[in-house]
């Protein structure tokens, strides 16, 4: 009969256990010093060894040679505990036996000495599921425990164990196990099982468990069921819904190139290859997380579930973005992942989410905007020119506002023989959509477009101008016109304090309103409002007072 790997390779003593060194060490010391508690709480992520350690501890206590930190493994106590049928070791699944009756039974049972062994050990799994009344019954036992009784409560939700119980127990927290240790363990198991698996395959399988040894081993079972004795990385990737570095890096590069069209292609490819869009969104979020960690660490780190050489590409790609960018992308990807969980139109959501990532690349931070304000900026916000990204069209953003004052008069002086926009605007939009520049096309649609002999003048609200992809726009417009065109932009919206904001604010005393007028006429404030037309001035304070 086939036995699942996780069961077959359940560690039988502390030396086989991976991770959880602090648990091993403390328990070993306690056993050697004969300081055995009557109650233990083992808490932590699923599949990290709680039940396993509970059984090892039971063997340590009840082995004929015990109490010992190195149980013999061959006496009837050791053998029966491993098989789960030792008369003095009682395992209770609290998920199905959570009531008062079970606890009463335990209380009765506790009063009698062990039938054969040293201790009577109760291992209660999913202990947080016990009912309140049952906990009370348990508490009575823990308050005056017979010398031979040991309770081990295993749970993923330590905070749901009542304080009255927890304060009478020794608490051990089980950590998620390091990626490299899981890979090592699987190498050992693969060798035992005669399975041929490269480091790459094992690393894919280990990743699937997200720190849970059991989940990684279940993934290994799945891989063996699917591939037989020789595991191929492509097959295993497809099976576990894990995407190659390349397909995720394609997203990063599309952002870098500000290419929304490429994003749509990526979704198209996923669909064509029958890949799960849910999995992709999950892996994408994990990818940004890894890039962010790589960016912060600046070198290979154990916080990333990949071997050192495998981490190199993360470090490379992370260089293309700022920490702030990566945080933003991670955030957006997590939202996308959540949205996809419940979406009836996953493809649409994924497309939207990926295009949003491209747009997010263009969002200017307050620091950058202030830096761009130059001398008008408050001294506190030191200009950070280094933070300016190549992808932000800083030129059209700032230059027209500072060089050419915003006026309602058309800036015809620079234009030679302007031709009516006529078909040109429509043709330009079509060409932009074809090139995948949908947002630029949209911005053009909403702009006043004037075609000159050597330049294309665009007048639109400032926020719209932000979404222009200028270099590509210039190339496409020049091609259409059959001559080289410069792109010139002009903001059309006049910055103003919105009347509603003024009405909302509480009436201010006379001298304050004077202060307000002076503040609002400050060139720095004026330019800030040009950059952020929707911004409202809520209050004005004199910092010298
Ligand atoms: N720390 C670990 N070291 C080695 N194997 C482990 C470890 N944790 C879990 N496993 C593997 O996963 C299986 C399930 O572990 P278990 O102890 O039942 O996890 P849980 O924490 O959910 O109680 C074990 O049979 C074993 O194969
Ligand atoms: Mg368990
Ligand atoms: Zn033994």
């Amino acid at each position: 009969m086939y036995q699942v790997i996780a069961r077959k390779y359940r560690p039988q003593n502390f030396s086989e256990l991976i991770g959880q060194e602090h648990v091993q060490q403390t328990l070993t010391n306690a056993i050697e010093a004969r300081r055995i508690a009557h109650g233990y709480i083992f808490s932590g992520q699923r599949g990290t060894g709680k039940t396993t350690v509970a059984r090892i501890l039971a063997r340590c206590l009840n082995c004929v040679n015990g109490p010992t930190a190195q149980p013999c493994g061959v006496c009837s106590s050791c053998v029966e505990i491993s098989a789960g049928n030792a008369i003095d070791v009682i395992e209770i699944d609290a998920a199905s036996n959570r009531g008062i009756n079970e606890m009463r039974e335990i209380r009765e049972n506790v009063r009698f000495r062990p039938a054969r062994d040293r201790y009577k050990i109760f291992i209660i799994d999913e202990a947080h599921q016990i009912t309140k009344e049952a906990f009370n019954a348990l508490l009575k036992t823990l308050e005056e425990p017979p010398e031979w009784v040991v309770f081990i409560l295993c749970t993923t939700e330590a905070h749901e164990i009542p304080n009255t119980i927890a304060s009478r127990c020794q608490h051990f927290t089980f950590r998620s196990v390091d990626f490299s240790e899981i890979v090592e363990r699987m190498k050992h198991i693969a060798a035992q099982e005669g399975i041929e698996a490269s480091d790459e395959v094992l690393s894919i399988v280990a990743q699937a468990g997200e720190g849970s040894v059991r989940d990684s081993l279940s993934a290994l079972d799945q891989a063996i069921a699917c591939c037989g004795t020789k595991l191929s990385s492509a097959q295993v990737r497809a099976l576990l819904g894990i995407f190659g570095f390349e397909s995720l890096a394609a997203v990063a590069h599309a952002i870098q190139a500000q290419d929304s069209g490429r994003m749509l292609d990526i979704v198209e490819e996923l669909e064509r290859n029958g890949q799960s869009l849910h999995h992709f969104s999950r892996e994408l979020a994990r990818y940004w997380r890894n890039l962010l960690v790589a960016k912060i660490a600046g070198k290979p780190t154990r916080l990333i579930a990949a071997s050192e050489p495998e981490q190199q590409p993360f470090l490379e790609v992370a260089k293309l973005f700022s920490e702030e960018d990566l945080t933003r992308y991670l955030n957006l990807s997590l939202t996308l992942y959540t949205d996809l969980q419940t979406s009836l139109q996953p493809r649409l959501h994924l497309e939207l989410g990926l295009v949003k990532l491209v747009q997010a690349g263009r969002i200017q931070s307050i620091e950058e905007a202030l830096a761009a304000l130059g001398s008008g900026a408050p001294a506190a916000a030191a200009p950070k020119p280094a933070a300016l990204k190549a992808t932000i069209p800083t030129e059209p953003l700032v230059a027209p506002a500072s060089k050419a004052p915003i006026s309602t008069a058309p800036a015809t002086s620079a234009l030679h023989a302007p031709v009516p926009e006529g078909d040109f605007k429509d043709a330009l939009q079509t060409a932009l959509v074809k090139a995948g520049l949908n947002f630029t096309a949209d911005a053009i649609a909403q702009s006043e477009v004037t075609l000159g002999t050597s330049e294309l003048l665009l007048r639109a609200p400032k926020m719209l101008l932000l979404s222009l992809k200028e270099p590509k726009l210039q190339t496409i417009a020049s091609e259409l016109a059959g001559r080289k065109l410069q792109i010139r932009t002009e903001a059309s919206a006049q910055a103003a304090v919105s009347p509603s904001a003024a009405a909302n604010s509480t009436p201010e005393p006379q001298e304050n309103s004077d202060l307000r007028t002076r503040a609002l006429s400050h060139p720095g404030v004026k330019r800030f409002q040009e950059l952020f037309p929707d911004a409202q001035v809520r209050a004005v304070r004199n910092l010298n007072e």
Side-chain angles (χ1 to χ4, degrees), residues 10 47 50-52 125-126 154 214:
R10 190 193 281 280
K50 300 181 294 295
T51 306
T52 303
D125 232 325
E126 310 291 337
C154 301
R214 185 203 288 117

Side-chain angles (χ1 to χ4, degrees), residues 45 50 80 108 116 134 136 142 165 182 188 235 249-250 277 293 311 330 345 349 355 365 371 401 407 438 480 542:
Q45 194 191 339
K50 300 181 294 295
E80 288 171 16
E108 283 303 300
R116 178 189 66 198
N136 280 334
L142 278 174
I165 302 272
I182 298 184
H188 166 78
Q235 260 179 306
L277 303 185
V293 172
Q311 289 193 33
L330 172 57
Q345 309 235 37
H349 262 108
V355 169
S365 71
S407 74
N438 294 326
L480 270 184
N542 187 342

Side-chain angles (χ1 to χ4, degrees), residues 59 63-65 71-75 77-78:
R59 285 175 133 207
C63 173
V64 281
N65 302 333
C72 73
V74 292
C75 70
S77 296
C78 283

Side-chain angles (χ1 to χ4, degrees), residues 4-11 14 16-20 24 42-55 125-126 154-156 174-175 177 185 189 211-218:
V4 298
I5 285 175
R7 277 256 191 97
K8 188 166 169 189
Y9 291 90
R10 190 193 281 280
F14 287 128
E16 287 174 51
L17 200 68
I18 56 174
Q20 324 306 1
Q24 290 182 41
F42 292 171
S43 71
Q45 194 191 339
R46 60 190 233 102
T48 51
K50 300 181 294 295
T51 306
T52 303
V53 172
R55 287 198 187 163
D125 232 325
E126 310 291 337
C154 301
T155 177
T156 48
F174 285 61
R175 310 206 174 103
V177 178
R185 176 77 177 159
I189 293 176
S212 159
V213 186
R214 185 203 288 117
D215 290 356
S216 295
L217 295 183
S218 306

Side-chain angles (χ1 to χ4, degrees), residues 67-257:
T68 167
Q70 279 102 29
C72 73
V74 292
C75 70
S76 24
S77 296
C78 283
V79 171
E80 288 171 16
I81 291 170
S82 298
N85 55 17
I87 185 159
D88 289 318
V89 178
I90 300 120
E91 288 198 35
I92 300 156
D93 177 11
S96 39
N97 306 290
R98 48 202 295 267
I100 184 83
N101 288 338
E102 281 78 12
M103 283 306 141
R104 284 223 183 90
E105 252 171 61
I106 291 177
R107 270 179 72 191
E108 283 303 300
N109 193 330
V110 154
R111 291 175 23 219
F112 304 105
R113 292 185 160 272
R116 178 189 66 198
D117 298 335
R118 220 165 284 112
Y119 288 96
K120 200 165 228 175
I121 300 166
F122 296 86
I123 300 175
I124 306 183
D125 232 325
E126 310 291 337
H128 60 276
Q129 302 229 26
I130 298 175
T131 60
K132 199 163 158 240
E133 297 72 31
F135 265 129
N136 280 334
L138 178 61
L139 182 61
K140 298 254 161 57
T141 315
L142 278 174
E143 276 169 346
E144 286 168 51
E147 55 184 297
W148 51 81
V149 132
V150 174
F151 281 98
I152 307 174
L153 310 182
C154 301
T155 177
T156 48
E157 324 286 326
H159 56 277
E160 285 178 29
I161 307 283
N163 249 333
T164 44
I165 302 272
S167 63
R168 288 177 169 80
C169 295
Q170 270 187 30
H171 190 168
F172 291 91
T173 310
F174 285 61
R175 310 206 174 103
S176 67
V177 178
D178 267 6
F179 167 78
S180 55
E181 289 181 279
I182 298 184
V183 171
E184 280 312 308
R185 176 77 177 159
M186 290 203 300
K187 246 185 216 168
H188 166 78
I189 293 176
Q192 299 280 308
E193 294 283 307
I195 304 291
E196 214 177 298
S198 65
D199 285 0
E200 192 198 352
V201 168
L202 292 181
S203 129
I204 297 166
V205 175
Q207 271 174 52
E210 305 201 32
S212 159
V213 186
R214 185 203 288 117
D215 290 356
S216 295
L217 295 183
S218 306
L220 184 60
D221 266 322
Q222 264 182 283
I224 294 170
C226 154
C227 304
T229 54
K230 198 170 170 201
L231 309 187
S232 103
S233 70
Q235 260 179 306
V236 171
R237 255 189 229 290
L239 173 75
L240 300 176
I242 293 197
F243 291 82
F245 184 78
E246 310 74 37
S247 57
L248 296 166
V251 172
H253 288 124
I255 293 176
Q256 184 64 11

Side-chain angles (χ1 to χ4, degrees), residues 351-387:
E351 286 174 341
L352 180 68
L354 292 183
V355 169
K356 267 192 191 162
L357 287 177
V358 174
Q359 287 174 293
R362 299 194 194 103
I363 292 175
Q364 218 190 9
S365 71
I366 291 281
E367 286 84 0
E368 288 165 348
L370 288 175
L373 285 173
S375 59
K384 274 194 348 189

